Amino acid sequence: MAHDIVFFLAPDDETAAATRLRGPSRAFESVTCRFIEPDSAIAEWDMYFDEPSAEVPPLEQLLGWSWPEWVTAPLNDGVEVFALPQRLTQALASASSAELEELAGRWTTRLKSADGDDMTDDDLLAVLQGVARLATSAVSTGGGLYSWSF
């Protein structure tokens, strides 16, 4: 589980990869959260927009889903930089408030069942709403949406 996660906008993969050592600076528009697994969150969100439902799908279905691609190869320091799939960025940008609420409820249910009392203290709906705002900016500027975590 990642300790610090930053979802951020960058114009391209090369710029996003350059954040690897120090993380995205204040120069990048971003949303932060803590104690989640960003790759599984991204996969869960992508799965939701492919087949919207408030029901939590079986874990095997999530594990078999297409996971985000690394922008930089992982090293032993635990730092990861992922690119959110374009289809997910588009879906988040056009998501309604009701869709984000339903997805946040589903995501919360999955995290509670997996992490119990160790679940993040972040407001997951607020995180999703923030990432959706970033997605809207990414779509309008032609940039990308990324995740940096440690």
Side-chain angles (χ1 to χ4, degrees):
M1 181 177 310
H3 187 266
D4 294 313
I5 302 94
V6 181
F7 293 97
F8 67 100
L9 292 176
D12 52 49
D13 288 358
E14 184 178 332
T15 304
T19 68
R20 188 194 176 294
L21 293 178
R22 292 191 266 321
S25 67
R26 294 178 194 253
F28 294 93
E29 192 175 348
S30 63
V31 172
T32 60
C33 57
R34 299 172 57 92
F35 304 115
I36 65 164
E37 294 175 359
D39 52 350
S40 65
I42 293 165
E44 171 115 20
W45 302 346
D46 192 39
M47 180 187 295
Y48 171 84
F49 286 109
D50 188 58
E51 296 180 27
S53 169
E55 298 300 315
V56 176
L59 182 59
E60 299 79 32
Q61 187 178 354
L62 177 63
L63 294 176
W65 198 254
S66 176
W67 287 54
E69 294 184 17
W70 281 296
V71 175
T72 58
L75 301 174
N76 290 336
D77 62 3
V79 175
E80 297 177 313
V81 181
F82 293 107
L84 276 72
Q86 276 295 85
R87 69 181 173 274
L88 176 58
T89 301
Q90 290 282 346
L92 284 165
S94 60
S96 69
S97 294
E99 287 174 313
L100 293 176
E101 288 172 17
E102 184 173 80
L103 174 54
R106 180 172 126 166
W107 185 29
T108 299
T109 299
R110 180 180 303 283
L111 290 178
K112 280 184 182 176
S113 71
D115 300 334
D117 291 340
D118 292 331
M119 190 181 122
T120 181
D121 289 336
D122 285 313
D123 177 343
L124 298 181
L125 176 57
V127 170
L128 273 170
Q129 290 167 331
V131 174
R133 282 190 297 276
L134 292 177
T136 300
S137 293
V139 168
S140 70
T141 63
L145 187 51
Y146 300 90
S147 167
W148 177 95
S149 61
F150 174 73

